Amino acid sequence: MLTVDSIAAVRETIGAWRAAGQRIAFVPTMGNLHAGHISLIELARKHGDRFVASIFVNPMQFGPNEDFNHYPRTPERDAQMLAAAGCDLMFMPHVEEIYPNGERIATRVHVPEISSILCGEFRPGHFEGVATIVAKLFNIVQPDVAIFGEKDFQQLTIVRRMASDLCLPVRIVGAPTMREPDGLAMSSRIYAELKRARAAILAGARDYVRIEAECSEALAPRGLRVEYFAVRRVSDLQAATRTDLALVVLCAARLGRARLIDNVTVTLAAA
Ligand code: PAF
């Protein structure tokens, strides 16, 4: 595995692969890799001849109360995990390489409406930072396919919209959430409640506001501070109506300093 930190080196390496007719699959990450990332990487390998990963803790997507400086950075372990997963190129730039004039005055990519609801309401500016760095990384790597986890369903939806709106020639692939039977107890409780909501909808319940309220209430006594529990339509994450058939139920909750997010999709048959 080749490790580079400059945009020029990425372009040179990938340019040669592309000239040889090879397809590029890309997984952007902020490092501190875990089993969930490895499942994205395994999926990426199925979609390209060459597999590229980036590791960049993006200051633009951190809010003033979110600790950019203390975000865990484990570059050596990440490199080992990527090499073991068959990565061909690891791009690990410094902040100055990505934002040479400082991130505060850098040009930004804003995806309206969908960026300011759900997590966007609780993390103002976060998705602008995500859309900006992802657009920049797409321009640097120019991948044929890019993989994003379905765990952050809103991020995936925003990236799809951004790539489509900006006519970027990249196919966005969502990777299913990897669930471990012995996962964090609190995450499991959120997931259990999401599944309960899905079962109710599949059984015919259509009062989504009531489902949202009941599920939020059920999570609260477990020490979780629920930010939202929402039944939305998949296309634009706006409130689901009775006629929508492709739905997603999403939840974000805080447990102490940790912020947990999860979702399940629900597909209804046409009447
Ligand atoms: O999901 C993440 O790790 C980040 O938001 C991403 C997509 C790598 C952009 O910094």
Side-chain angles (χ1 to χ4, degrees):
M1 181 181 77
L2 210 62
T3 301
V4 298
D5 62 7
S6 76
I7 295 171
V10 174
R11 292 212 161 119
E12 194 186 323
T13 308
I14 295 179
W17 292 339
R18 200 172 283 293
Q22 295 180 323
R23 283 173 57 78
I24 313 299
F26 176 48
V27 177
T29 80
M30 297 214 299
N32 191 29
L33 303 181
H34 51 69
H37 290 105
I38 299 304
S39 70
L40 304 190
I41 287 160
E42 274 157 11
L43 187 59
R45 290 178 52 192
K46 298 194 181 124
H47 286 275
D49 306 303
R50 294 289 189 167
F51 159 48
V52 179
S54 62
I55 295 193
F56 180 63
V57 184
N58 173 33
M60 198 189 273
Q61 70 188 72
F62 285 76
N65 300 321
E66 298 174 352
D67 211 339
F68 166 73
N69 290 324
H70 291 105
Y71 191 86
R73 288 159 172 90
T74 54
E76 286 86 18
R77 200 171 59 91
D78 293 346
Q80 280 167 11
M81 286 174 84
L82 286 173
C87 182
D88 296 292
L89 177 67
M90 177 172 93
F91 177 41
M92 198 166 7
H94 297 287
V95 172
E96 297 73 32
E97 180 74 356
I98 297 295
Y99 300 114
N101 303 311
E103 51 100 2
R104 198 183 58 79
I105 59 162
T107 301
R108 285 161 185 254
V109 177
H110 177 63
V111 185
E113 301 209 349
I114 196 169
S115 296
S116 51
I117 56 174
L118 301 169
C119 287
E121 198 181 321
F122 294 88
R123 304 183 71 189
H126 169 68
F127 287 119
E128 191 174 83
V130 170
T132 302
I133 188 60
V134 171
K136 283 172 78 86
L137 290 168
F138 282 177
N139 282 326
I140 295 166
V141 174
Q142 300 192 358
D144 296 282
V145 175
I147 318 290
F148 290 81
E150 287 174 356
K151 173 97 172 167
D152 193 337
F153 200 88
Q154 187 171 9
Q155 170 171 278
L156 171 63
T157 311
I158 288 169
V159 169
R160 281 192 205 284
R161 171 78 63 79
M162 185 266 297
S164 159
D165 285 354
L166 298 181
C167 310
L168 302 180
V170 54
R171 190 157 70 84
I172 310 298
V173 172
T177 305
M178 221 192 77
R179 300 188 187 281
E180 295 180 51
D182 59 347
L184 275 178
M186 284 303 170
S187 302
S188 313
R189 285 190 185 154
I190 292 176
Y191 183 48
E193 213 52 41
L194 289 166
K195 284 196 296 183
R196 196 164 77 88
R198 175 167 62 191
I201 297 168
L202 287 173
R206 291 292 177 272
D207 187 344
Y208 298 141
V209 173
R210 183 169 171 180
I211 292 174
E212 290 168 354
E214 283 177 1
C215 292
S216 297
E217 272 166 37
L219 285 169
R222 293 162 186 195
L224 290 164
R225 203 150 35 85
V226 178
E227 289 187 339
Y228 62 80
F229 193 104
V231 182
R232 299 292 166 109
R233 57 178 182 234
V234 162
S235 56
D236 57 5
L237 302 186
Q238 295 298 327
T241 67
R242 283 168 174 270
T243 54
D244 291 316
L245 300 177
L247 310 179
V248 55
V249 190
L250 310 103
C251 178
R254 285 198 178 268
L255 178 70
R257 283 172 62 84
R259 188 169 186 275
L260 309 171
I261 56 169
D262 205 348
N263 66 84
V264 297
T265 53
V266 190
T267 307
L268 298 173

